Amino acid sequence: MLQREWDVLVIGGGITGAGILLEASRRGLRALLVEQRDFAWGTSSRSSKLVHGGLRYLAQGHVRLTREAVREREALLRDAPGLVEPQRFAFPDYGASVRKRRTVLAGLALYDLFAGRRERHWIDAHDFALLAPNVARADLAGGMVYTDAKTDDARLVLRTLAEARRHGGVAVNYISVRSLIHTGGRVAGAQLVNGLRDDADTQAVHELRARLVIDASGAWAGKLSANGPRLRPLRGSHLVLPAWRLPLAQAVSLMHPVDGRPVFAFPWEGATLVGTTDVDHRDGLANEAAITRAELDYLLAALRAQFPQLDLGEADVLATYAGVRPVVDSGPGDAPSKAGREHAVWCGAGLVSVAGGKLTTFRAIALDVLRQAQRQLPGWQDDLAPVPVYEQVALPRAPRRMSAPLLRRLAGRHGAQAQALVDAAGADELETIPGTETLWAELRWAARAEGVEQLDDLLLRRTRIGLLLRGGGLEHAERIRAICQMELGWDDARWDHEQAAYAALIARHYGLPGQERP
């Protein structure tokens, strides 16, 4: 890697960096991505899992952002079946304001116009109660329905990186940028160190040269240069509940009874996902974010108000998670939920930086970044017109009967590697892990071929069983070890160390606040 001459060095292995690597590689640039932790370790594995146009952004007057997001949502639905899937939303109306109802319906009509579709949005109280049978019935006037989409955000990053590799791109995790290299008044590369080690100040430093460096490090963006906009880290926390405790056929969106913010619950990966909070994150970025007691109480209050007959409480929570959004600061006085979600791109000599934006619009952000990069890469010409996000792949052939949705799921998440995953499966590994939609074979393939360096890479990002099962899935530790230890090449001491570290991580950052192990 150090010996090659690179056109572009991308710093950051979240969805923004992955999108830039893909768009640069497919257009003939020699592109390398480095990530200081694991791919999707930050915001891109801790989002709300929604690929959406942002209906509330439309209400705030961000028409351009909403139009762009809706069009990108439609492109992902077309190009990533099995990874990005339609999700219907139901929004109950308790008759508080006819004017507000008309405003929302007008917004939904505009939403349809952007997507090139037309749907019926208003349904009466009787039909809404049939659609969402567990919602509060008192004063229910009816409700509104609309369609967005959902995804597995970490797998979206991994699929994007896999597509980039097919075009010659290179992506490496656990490589940290210590500093930028400057030559003749411009950035000419970066000094790299091993991100798996804690002795960054004393370990060997490696110099890598590139014609252009792109900083796409999310909430860390701007640390390498001082001329960018001010970022405002905002934390969004979520709950994961068993599907049987909060059974939903579609997403339910509601206004929180305390502050009127939108809160949602929807079926995801065999469980029910609830979110989100939107608060200033003041705990720094060195450690993983975690839900606070106040955020937990806030989300549970929303659930109790909307689904009173279910009597949901802390004991029903399988897992929690929190992510930090790299939002561009729009100025003092704005509430976190009012902060804009547009991305910002700024440039220096030999350096392009990007921050902000939405999961949904990663392709549009990547193309915008490359338009700025084009000015600093003499001899590289491309019209940068959008092309299909991913190349279409055939459904894998399985040795036993598997449903079409399951085969589509594998193809969506694993792309061209889906057939190899199926072929590598051991006995009974094409069965799903109880309580999830994940196959045992996905664990084996991730351990064999997807750059797993630590156990949390495997259970929190390559698969999501760390979020979907109580205790991070350690009830299946024996079988996970039997499948993955040899594939990873870890001896018993290494496995025991990884499992202990993973258990501590789950207790500190993915459980209920105040119940951490000593």
Side-chain angles (χ1 to χ4, degrees), residues 11 36 177-180 215-229 231 233 284-286 346 351 353-355:
I11 303 171
Q36 64 179 340
V177 173
R178 182 171 178 177
S179 63
L180 298 178
D215 181 3
S217 53
W220 291 264
K223 303 292 184 183
L224 299 174
S225 63
N227 64 338
L231 299 184
L285 301 174
W346 63 102
L351 177 67
S353 302
V354 58

Side-chain angles (χ1 to χ4, degrees), residues 192-241:
L192 308 178
V193 295
N194 186 342
L196 281 168
R197 293 169 56 181
D198 296 326
D199 57 343
D201 292 334
T202 59
Q203 65 175 291
V205 177
H206 305 279
E207 291 195 352
L208 184 139
R209 298 282 172 166
R211 296 172 63 197
L212 181 69
V213 174
I214 298 177
D215 181 3
S217 53
W220 291 264
K223 303 292 184 183
L224 299 174
S225 63
N227 64 338
R230 179 181 174 184
L231 299 184
R232 182 181 183 179
L234 297 178
R235 186 175 63 250
S237 295
H238 304 76
L239 311 179
V240 183
L241 279 69

Side-chain angles (χ1 to χ4, degrees), residues 106-192:
L108 289 172
L110 191 56
Y111 218 48
D112 286 350
L113 180 65
F114 293 158
R117 67 171 66 164
R118 187 172 183 178
E119 297 181 354
R120 175 194 175 203
H121 295 296
W122 174 258
I123 57 178
D124 62 26
H126 176 268
D127 288 345
F128 193 92
L130 295 176
L131 185 69
N134 290 310
V135 301
R137 302 290 185 88
D139 300 321
L140 181 66
M144 288 161 276
V145 294
Y146 62 97
T147 303
D148 261 321
K150 62 183 175 182
T151 191
D152 178 336
D153 49 0
R155 291 304 321 180
L156 186 70
V157 173
L158 293 165
R159 175 75 189 276
T160 304
L161 292 173
E163 292 289 319
R165 291 187 182 105
R166 294 181 67 185
H167 292 282
V170 178
V172 186
N173 55 350
Y174 294 104
I175 295 293
S176 181
V177 173
R178 182 171 178 177
S179 63
L180 298 178
I181 298 170
H182 293 81
T183 301
R186 62 180 288 114
V187 174
Q191 292 185 331
L192 308 178

Side-chain angles (χ1 to χ4, degrees), residues 195-503:
L196 281 168
R197 293 169 56 181
D198 296 326
D199 57 343
D201 292 334
T202 59
Q203 65 175 291
V205 177
H206 305 279
E207 291 195 352
L208 184 139
R209 298 282 172 166
R211 296 172 63 197
L212 181 69
V213 174
I214 298 177
D215 181 3
S217 53
W220 291 264
K223 303 292 184 183
L224 299 174
S225 63
N227 64 338
R230 179 181 174 184
L231 299 184
R232 182 181 183 179
L234 297 178
R235 186 175 63 250
S237 295
H238 304 76
L239 311 179
V240 183
L241 279 69
W244 66 269
R245 279 298 284 134
L246 183 51
L248 296 173
Q250 64 281 306
V252 173
S253 183
L254 61 130
M255 307 308 288
H256 197 283
V258 173
D259 59 7
R261 281 189 63 256
V263 178
F264 58 80
F266 70 94
W268 182 73
E269 290 290 297
T272 300
L273 185 62
V274 179
T276 176
T277 61
D278 205 357
V279 299
D280 286 298
H281 181 73
R282 297 187 173 91
D283 297 335
L285 301 174
N287 298 315
E288 299 202 28
I291 195 171
T292 63
R293 168 57 57 177
E295 289 174 289
L296 173 66
D297 292 343
Y298 177 88
L299 292 175
L300 288 175
L303 292 179
R304 293 187 185 113
Q306 186 63 76
F307 308 103
Q309 69 275 28
L310 296 181
D311 192 27
L312 296 166
E314 291 183 19
D316 297 308
V317 178
L318 293 173
T320 68
Y321 70 92
V324 180
R325 307 179 185 100
V327 174
V328 177
D329 196 347
S330 56
D334 280 348
S337 60
K338 300 294 184 182
R341 295 305 193 259
E342 293 91 346
H343 69 277
V345 180
W346 63 102
C347 303
L351 177 67
V352 177
S353 302
V354 58
K358 291 157 45 66
L359 180 78
T360 309
T361 57
F362 74 89
R363 179 179 65 165
I365 295 171
L367 293 175
D368 194 14
V369 169
L370 290 179
R371 290 185 189 98
Q372 301 301 319
Q374 201 165 41
R375 301 173 184 175
Q376 302 200 50
L377 292 170
W380 176 57
Q381 298 295 325
D382 194 288
D383 63 8
L384 294 174
V387 298
V389 185
Y390 304 134
E391 295 181 10
Q392 295 300 303
V393 296
L395 297 183
R397 301 176 304 279
R400 66 169 185 79
R401 185 174 179 83
M402 297 174 68
S403 68
L406 180 54
L407 293 174
R408 186 171 62 249
R409 180 184 187 278
L410 288 175
R413 282 161 172 74
H414 299 278
Q417 298 300 311
Q419 186 63 58
L421 183 156
V422 171
D423 294 342
D428 300 323
E429 289 179 9
L430 294 177
E431 302 293 334
T432 56
I433 301 171
T436 78
E437 297 176 357
T438 304
L439 302 182
W440 293 104
E442 292 181 80
L443 288 168
R444 180 179 295 282
W445 183 253
R448 177 181 297 185
E450 292 192 326
V452 170
E453 296 288 347
Q454 299 182 152
L455 191 57
D456 58 296
D457 302 343
L458 177 70
L459 302 181
L460 287 173
R461 289 173 291 278
R462 303 305 181 279
T463 68
R464 314 314 299 273
I465 63 176
L467 298 179
L468 297 167
L469 300 177
R470 198 176 298 276
L474 286 175
E475 63 185 289
H476 297 296
E478 185 175 342
R479 185 167 185 189
I480 294 170
R481 184 171 189 164
I483 292 172
C484 298
Q485 183 174 359
M486 185 176 295
E487 298 283 1
L488 290 166
W490 295 351
D491 60 20
D492 288 343
R494 171 71 185 279
W495 186 278
D496 291 341
H497 169 77
E498 290 288 341
Q499 185 168 316
Y502 175 71

